[in-house]
Structures are given as C-alpha cells and as structure tokens.
C-alpha cells in the first residue's frame, strides 16, 4: 500500500498517540550518575570544563547522593581524587582510601542506593597511567595485582558493583577470583569492556587529575577505528565472568553499542562521557541550542542504539525533565 492510502504522518498528529507508538523510552531507572570525591571537608569545587559538576568532599558527596536519590537516581559511580599518589597506585588499595571512606559514609546515610566503584589506577599513580610502568609502558600482569587488591578493598567498604576501567587483559578474571576468594562472590563486575582511546575524556582528566604525564593510553585503550575488536574485547570479558558490559564513549560509538548489543545478551551500559557533556554545556551557554531537548535526544539515541543503561553527568537534569513531564 502506498500514498495516498498510506500516510505516515497519521500517527504523528496527536501527542498522546505519538507517545503511544514511541519505540524507545528513557527512565530514571536507566541512569547512573558519576561523582568525584576529594579530600577535605565542605569542599565543592566546580570543574571548569564540566559546568554543574564538582569535586566533592565526602560530607558534600553524601548530601549530593541524598539529592540524587530524592530525584529517583539511585545508582552512583564513584571516582576518587586522593591527596597522595604513588608509582603503582597502592594508595587505592588501602581500606582507608578516599572512595572506600566515601562508600562507608554514603551507605550509612542513604540506604536505598547502589554504589558502583570505578576500579583503575590512573587517579592514584604519580604518572597518571592506569597501571605499573615497566620499560616506559603499563605492564599488564603486575597491574592485575593492584586492580584485584583495589577491588577487594572497595567491596569490603561496601561497593555494590566493581567496575574496572583500566583495559588490561585478563583483569575481569583476576578481579573475579580475588573477589570470590575474599567472600564477595555475590558482587557483580561491570566491565568497561569496550573502551576507546578517546579525546572525549579530556574534561574528566581535569576533574580527576588523571592525565598521563607522558605518552598516551593507546597501548591499552582501543583504536577508534575498530569494531571487530570490540566484539573480541566483549567476548573475552564475558568468558572471564563479567556480569555487565560497557561501551565508552557513547555518542561517536553508537554503531559499536548496536553491534555489542546484537552479539551479547548481557545488560549493556553506555558511558556518555565528559567531553560529550562539555559539548552540550558549551553550546547551551552560547544559547546555540535548546539544552533540555538536546539532552533528551542524546539519551534517547543511546538507548535506541541498544544500551540498557546510561552513565551520564546529565543524570540529575534528565531526572528533573522526566519528573516534570
Ligand atoms: C579511568 C577513567 C577515565 C574515564 C572513566 N574512567 C579516563 C581515562 O580513561 O582516561 C573517562 C570518563 C569521562 O570522560 O567522563 N581510567
């Protein structure tokens, strides 16, 4: 049947009907909100390249978590900015490290919350790389040991999910074994399985003070040109015991999200990263776009591509938009 019998606009005139036939929806249940925790008390430093996002001391992080939960955003991803760093990132393995303390404080005050701990060394090493340096590059197998120790310590502090973002080979298996040996066989692993070496992480590295002091991350993070390799990365992590997979960044990688979702039936998370957030904020500050519409279009497109869950700095704004509807 063709025009004039078929008129695709028929389903577009009535707003209720448009909602009824909508194929993709975004809910507050789909969102994870990332926050940055620093030392000190009553600290709330705005991150200049991420307007509206802050480095927060533990007390203020607790308050922000309460606000997030009150809006319906119940899943929080935690990043730490420690006072001291060392060559291997050992500081992150201490039960008294910044994120461990934040987890305990948040859990004490907010019961109805899910805390996801990012596991990586880059915020904790003096050189800003994601692991131990041997011969001028990150050594894979010795890094697995610090990642596993960091994971166990975070689980002990009360982390509900462990999320390794380092891109070492074999880290899911090694973290799984360490968690199980320490009695945390019920703690899921959300693997940053498909993580590209991306310019879109720029603002995050300001926020987390984690830019490498030499070189780049190309020997461990993926080449943006590849998607067959994304399948191999995901496959490997599934074999090693990942419970959930992630593709990161999101917007320039919607094809990768689609492909990973077609190939694996694990819950798929997409990370709408700092540079994607910064682009929206910069254009909105110039009044060049309708910010709220743009945010919702971005969320919808990430879900439409196949993501089940979105990590986004816009989470609280999205909740406000959805709660207003
Ligand atoms: C740590 C890590 C990074 C991000 C999340 N975890 C930075 C990096 O790999 O350099 C980026 C998040 C963002 O840009 O929002 N390895």
């Amino acid at each position: 049947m063709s025009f004039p019998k078929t008129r695709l606009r028929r389903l577009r005139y009535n707003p209720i009907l448009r909602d009824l036939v909508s194929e993709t929806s975004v809910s507050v249940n789909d969102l994870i909100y990332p926050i940055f925790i620093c030392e000190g008390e009553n600290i709330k430093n705005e991150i200049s390249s991420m307007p509206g996002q802050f480095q927060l001391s533990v007390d203020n992080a607790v308050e922000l978590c309460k606000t997030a939960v009150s809006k319906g955003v119940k899943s929080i991803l935690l990043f730490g900015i420690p006072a001291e760093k060392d060559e291997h990132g050992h500081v992150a393995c201490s039960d008294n490290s910044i994120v461990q303390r934040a987890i305990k404080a948040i859990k004490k005050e907010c019961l109805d919350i899910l805390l996801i701990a990012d596991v990586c060394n880059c915020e904790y090493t003096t050189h800003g790389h994601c692991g131990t340096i041997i011969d001028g590059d990150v050594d894979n197998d010795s890094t697995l040991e610090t990642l596993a120790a960091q994971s166990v310590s975070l689980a002990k502090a009360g982390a509900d999910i462990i999320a390794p973002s380092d891109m070492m080979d074999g880290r899911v298996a090694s973290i799984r074994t360490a968690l199980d040996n320490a009695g945390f066989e019920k703690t899921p692993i959300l693997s940053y399985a498909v993580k590209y070496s991306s310019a879109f992480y720029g603002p995050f590295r300001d926020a987390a003070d984690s830019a490498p002091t030499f070189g780049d991350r190309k020997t461990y993070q993926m080449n943006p040109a590849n998607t067959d390799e994304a399948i191999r990365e995901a496959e490997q992590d599934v074999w090693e015991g990942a419970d959930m997979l992630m593709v990161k960044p999101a917007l320039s990688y919607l094809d990768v999200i689609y492909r990973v979702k077609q190939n694996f039936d694990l819950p798929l998370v997409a990370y709408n990263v700092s540079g994607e957030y910064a682009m929206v904020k910069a254009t909105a500050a110039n009044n060049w776009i309708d910010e709220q519409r743009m945010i919702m279009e971005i969320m919808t497109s990430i879900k439409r591509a196949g993501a089940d869950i979105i990590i986004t700095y816009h989470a609280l704004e999205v909740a406000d938009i959805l709660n207003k509807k």
Side-chain angles (χ1 to χ4, degrees):
M1 203 109 66
S2 62
F3 179 81
K5 282 249 155 73
T6 295
R7 291 178 182 269
L8 291 168
R9 290 184 62 195
R10 266 185 215 122
L11 298 183
R12 294 183 198 143
Y13 294 111
N14 180 323
I16 302 173
L17 180 52
R18 280 201 298 272
D19 281 348
L20 197 64
V21 299
S22 167
E23 298 172 35
T24 309
S25 64
V26 178
S27 142
V28 284
N29 294 328
D30 305 329
L31 305 175
I32 298 173
Y33 185 45
I35 64 172
F36 301 96
I37 323 261
C38 64
E39 296 287 350
E41 231 176 279
N42 198 21
I43 310 272
K44 188 176 179 188
N45 293 334
E46 188 161 30
I47 300 152
S48 59
S49 50
M50 301 175 71
Q53 306 305 314
F54 302 86
Q55 298 178 331
L56 300 166
S57 50
V58 171
D59 51 339
N60 282 336
V62 172
E63 291 312 308
L64 183 61
C65 286
K66 287 186 192 163
T67 304
V69 169
S70 74
K71 293 176 190 287
V73 177
K74 296 180 178 180
S75 301
I76 307 287
L77 176 63
L78 302 166
F79 293 101
I81 310 156
E84 312 257 320
K85 303 185 187 227
D86 62 68
E87 222 184 302
H88 307 285
H90 287 313
V91 282
C93 309
S94 145
D95 293 347
N96 211 23
S97 189
I98 182 74
V99 174
Q100 284 83 332
R101 273 184 283 132
I103 291 172
K104 285 179 227 161
I106 296 166
K107 284 275 167 162
K108 209 157 134 198
E109 302 244 356
C110 315
L111 297 176
D112 201 15
I113 197 165
L114 186 87
L115 296 183
I116 305 166
D118 180 272
V119 168
C120 192
N121 284 315
C122 65
E123 297 120 77
Y124 304 97
T125 51
T126 41
H127 44 74
H129 276 287
C130 301
T132 292
I133 302 291
I134 296 180
D135 292 337
D137 194 7
V138 176
D139 181 68
N140 197 88
D141 297 8
S142 48
T143 299
L144 296 181
E145 291 168 28
T146 43
L147 295 172
Q150 191 186 129
S151 300
V152 170
S153 169
L154 289 163
K156 244 200 266 174
D160 296 295
I161 297 183
I162 296 297
S165 66
D166 52 281
M167 288 300 279
M168 296 304 120
D169 288 321
R171 96 287 198 160
V172 172
S174 105
I175 291 172
R176 183 73 274 158
T177 303
L179 287 175
D180 290 358
N181 289 343
F184 295 105
E185 68 280 350
K186 289 188 199 144
T187 304
I189 296 176
L190 159 57
S191 172
Y192 285 66
V194 182
K195 178 173 177 181
Y196 288 91
S197 175
S198 171
F200 286 93
Y201 307 150
F204 174 96
R205 294 178 188 172
D206 295 339
D209 185 24
S210 65
T213 52
F214 66 90
D216 52 39
R217 303 211 202 288
K218 288 182 187 164
T219 70
Y220 42 106
Q221 298 181 347
M222 285 175 58
N223 179 349
N226 298 351
T227 74
D228 290 343
E229 192 186 359
I231 300 300
R232 298 193 65 203
E233 281 284 359
E235 201 167 49
Q236 192 71 41
D237 286 3
V238 174
W239 281 336
E240 291 180 27
D243 301 282
M244 301 164 86
L245 298 174
M246 192 194 303
V247 171
K248 175 185 173 191
L251 277 188
S252 291
Y253 299 86
L254 294 175
D255 57 325
V256 181
I257 293 172
Y258 182 81
R259 218 178 142 187
V260 171
K261 189 62 192 179
Q262 295 293 308
N263 278 274
F264 302 94
D265 50 11
L266 281 72
L268 181 59
V269 181
Y271 200 142
N272 175 219
V273 299
S274 57
E276 299 170 13
Y277 175 84
M279 290 198 300
V280 172
K281 290 294 165 188
T283 44
N286 280 294
N287 277 320
W288 288 341
I289 44 104
D290 177 335
E291 185 180 12
Q292 294 203 350
R293 278 190 64 197
M294 192 185 239
I295 291 171
M296 290 314 290
E297 193 171 329
I298 288 171
M299 297 303 130
T300 303
S301 66
I302 295 170
K303 286 211 67 188
R304 194 193 61 227
D308 302 296
I309 298 159
I310 306 171
I311 301 173
T312 180
Y313 303 98
H314 293 297
L316 302 190
E317 298 169 278
V318 173
D320 286 339
I321 295 168
L322 292 173
N323 294 336
K324 210 168 55 197
K325 261 196 181 170

